[in-house]
Amino acid sequence: AEELLGEHPKQWDALRLVASAGLRMGNAVLAAEAYQTLLAHSPDEPALLAGMAVAQFGLSALDASEHLARKALSHDDQHPQAWYCLALVLERTGRMEEADRAFQLAHTVDPNLYPLRPSLSVDVLTDALVEARSGLGTVVHRFYEDVLIRWAEFPVSEELRVTLPPLSPFVEALYDGRPPTSGDPWAQLPSSVRLFTGNLAWGDTRRGALVERIQIALTREAHHWLGLSPVLTESVD
């Protein structure tokens, strides 16, 4: 499709394919670029507005995502993708009752593709964290001897946009603070690392899978702060 667009930049079927593939691959930048061109041609098509809303959500642009989802629904109030994207924005901005209603509306239209909002109990999360910590490598385990691990529900969209491209709204952990640009990173550790309960609730929450996801999230944040690649850290561990 991209090769075809290289010769015919406004081949609409190819653009739609690239836009949809971008969303499925988690490439929000690619999807947003394709949807932008499509919407310039068909500015009121609900499917395109909903797709662009999802792309903007993936770029952590929650205000833009909400606006586009609501615009899609103004043209088609049964569009499940628009309801679902709106629900994701609402839950991440603390409007839980509205979010649950939007999740329900999407689920009613297409229950197989759009599940209801999940949740995890404190006990399940706490037990999974204890097991995850016991399986961390030596270097990462040492890192968390001095760094507090704390729970939060969702990341703040502004902190996700400090990088280009922005971090995913579904990121499962983030450290607090900025790594030192020089010197020994062990001399200046983050004040804490947050694990996001709302994001951990999405995806595979079976015990083993949840433990592994927490381990991966904690390890990634430690690696990034310490400036260690996974390969280097594995050899050190």
Side-chain angles (χ1 to χ4, degrees):
E2 289 183 326
E3 288 179 6
L4 178 59
L5 289 169
E7 298 181 10
H8 305 283
K10 293 187 178 180
Q11 215 292 336
W12 305 116
D13 288 339
L15 274 168
R16 287 174 184 271
L17 180 58
V18 168
S20 177
L23 291 185
R24 290 179 178 273
M25 294 187 298
N27 189 335
V29 173
L30 175 65
E33 290 174 351
Y35 278 118
Q36 184 174 11
T37 303
L38 288 164
L39 283 167
H41 179 257
S42 303
D44 295 322
E45 185 177 331
L48 298 181
L49 289 164
M52 184 59 143
V54 175
Q56 292 299 318
F57 178 81
L59 295 171
S60 298
L62 300 190
D63 289 344
S65 179
E66 180 176 356
H67 171 75
L68 287 159
R70 291 190 184 279
K71 186 174 180 181
L73 291 167
S74 72
H75 295 286
D76 178 4
D77 64 3
Q78 296 297 306
H79 200 288
Q81 187 182 41
W83 277 119
Y84 203 72
C85 185
L86 178 60
L88 291 172
V89 173
L90 291 169
E91 75 166 348
R92 281 160 173 74
T93 50
R95 291 170 283 176
M96 294 306 183
E97 289 187 8
E98 292 179 74
D100 284 335
R101 176 177 177 273
F103 278 124
Q104 182 63 65
L105 288 166
H107 182 74
T108 299
V109 176
D110 192 339
N112 294 321
L113 191 57
Y114 301 107
L116 298 174
R117 183 164 66 94
S119 62
L120 284 174
S121 71
V122 174
D123 289 343
V124 168
L125 286 164
T126 301
D127 290 346
L129 175 57
V130 170
E131 185 174 342
R133 292 192 68 157
S134 68
L136 293 173
T138 305
V139 171
V140 177
H141 188 275
R142 176 188 164 199
F143 180 85
Y144 286 106
E145 287 179 348
D146 298 315
V147 175
L148 174 69
I149 299 172
R150 61 189 181 95
W151 300 108
E153 190 165 26
F154 293 107
V156 179
S157 61
E158 287 76 13
E159 68 182 331
L160 300 175
R161 297 199 300 269
V162 298
T163 64
L164 290 176
L167 296 174
S168 167
F170 285 107
V171 67
E172 294 177 344
L174 284 176
Y175 52 66
D176 293 309
R178 294 186 178 182
T181 56
S182 61
D184 182 5
W186 289 98
Q188 180 186 331
L189 294 175
S191 59
S192 64
V193 169
R194 285 165 292 152
L195 283 166
F196 298 111
T197 60
N199 285 341
L200 288 168
W202 290 97
D204 193 342
T205 56
R206 291 173 296 179
R207 177 58 176 263
L210 184 60
V211 168
E212 182 179 8
R213 289 170 61 198
I214 291 173
Q215 285 178 336
I216 290 171
L218 292 176
T219 300
R220 185 187 61 242
E221 294 307 295
H223 284 174
H224 191 275
W225 186 276
L226 298 172
L228 299 174
S229 69
V231 173
L232 175 60
T233 304
E234 285 169 7
S235 65
V236 171
D237 287 357

